[in-house]
Amino acid sequence: MTDAEWTAVRPLLPVPAWLQGRGGQPEGYCHRQMLDAIRYLVAGGISWRAMPADFPGWDRVYAFFRRWREHGLINEFHDRLCGKVRESEGREAEPTAGIIDAQSVRAAATVPADSRGYDGGKKVPGRKTAHRDRPERWAMVVSGSWNSVLTE
């Protein structure tokens, strides 16, 4: 992560309790090191145990990631980053509209009949799923393209 990226990302991260005077023990590694390790892992598609020695130990990185995921901090960081991108484009941080979409999925013969149906419009036997889609709900960017998003 470049210094410019870190400058943009740092205020978006949650502040550890010990820095706010709420007790707790200081963490053993800098958040920047941990984020660099996670970005490397995702970008390379490697396993946790294949983490290079340049980063903190894989077990520490995984524990950090797991703790953030369990407390919803990964999603919170993602949403803050998306809000920052939207504001840099001159839009409000939160979208004012969403898209509701439905999808028909073919079901195998082994799927119980009580959970299957028939979509007459698409002429597809199977299950119908609905989901809400927000275009800004991007996957976390781990490549160099993060530069252009954060340094504008």
Side-chain angles (χ1 to χ4, degrees):
M1 183 178 305
T2 65
D3 290 338
E5 287 176 332
W6 179 246
T7 302
V9 167
R10 181 64 187 115
L12 303 175
L13 297 174
V15 178
W18 66 272
L19 280 177
Q20 294 178 331
R22 294 184 301 167
Q25 186 173 359
E27 295 175 349
Y29 294 98
C30 171
H31 285 171
R32 183 174 181 173
Q33 289 176 310
M34 294 297 193
L35 287 176
D36 280 342
I38 292 169
R39 286 178 66 192
Y40 182 86
L41 178 115
V42 173
I46 63 172
S47 66
W48 290 102
R49 292 180 188 254
M51 188 76 63
D54 299 349
F55 296 112
W58 74 268
D59 54 338
R60 297 305 326 141
V61 177
Y62 180 70
F64 173 87
F65 175 78
R66 188 184 67 234
R67 185 174 67 243
W68 273 31
R69 185 187 61 210
E70 288 173 355
H71 290 98
L73 298 177
I74 298 287
N75 290 335
E76 181 182 334
F77 174 61
H78 179 269
D79 292 344
R80 288 181 185 182
L81 184 59
C82 289
K84 184 175 173 76
V85 171
R86 287 182 58 86
E87 288 172 349
S88 73
E89 294 173 346
R91 302 185 298 176
E92 294 183 28
E94 285 294 319
T96 56
I99 301 167
I100 299 176
D101 191 12
Q103 175 182 11
S104 296
V105 180
R106 289 188 184 272
T110 56
V111 175
D114 60 341
S115 67
R116 285 190 288 164
Y118 185 76
D119 184 349
K122 296 180 183 176
K123 298 184 172 126
V124 175
R127 294 181 174 171
K128 193 163 190 169
T129 61
H131 62 276
R132 180 182 63 119
D133 188 25
R134 283 180 26 198
E136 288 76 21
R137 193 80 181 150
W138 305 303
M140 184 182 290
V141 179
V142 294
S143 66
S145 62
W146 213 8
N147 278 339
S148 60
V149 170
L150 296 176
T151 56
E152 291 179 351

